[in-house]
Amino acid sequence: MKERIVDEQIRLISYYQNDAVSFCRYQDADVCKQVDNRDTPHDLALLHRM
């Protein structure tokens, strides 16, 4: 992964896609309501578009 140093406190790294972790979280109805104000869980296609 390439790293970009903004200053002494901030470093930017490339996004690491981890469907196993993120998809699991977006199956929780409470999380979906808080994040996107929706009553249904996300599917994998929607998660990738986000």
Side-chain angles (χ1 to χ4, degrees), residues 20-37:
V21 173
S22 56
F23 185 67
C24 197
R25 290 181 182 156
Y26 281 98
Q27 295 304 293
D28 184 316
D30 290 334
V31 170
C32 292
K33 189 67 171 176
Q34 292 173 5
V35 172
D36 292 328
N37 195 28

Side-chain angles (χ1 to χ4, degrees), residues 1-49:
M1 266 186 225
K2 188 174 180 179
E3 183 178 291
R4 182 175 172 192
I5 299 173
V6 175
D7 63 26
E8 63 276 351
Q9 295 180 341
I10 299 174
R11 298 179 306 149
L12 304 177
I13 60 169
S14 300
Y15 173 71
Y16 174 73
Q17 184 172 333
N18 187 348
D19 290 341
V21 173
S22 56
F23 185 67
C24 197
R25 290 181 182 156
Y26 281 98
Q27 295 304 293
D28 184 316
D30 290 334
V31 170
C32 292
K33 189 67 171 176
Q34 292 173 5
V35 172
D36 292 328
N37 195 28
R38 57 185 282 142
D39 297 319
T40 58
H42 293 71
D43 59 16
L44 199 52
L46 176 60
L47 185 64
H48 286 170
R49 288 193 307 269

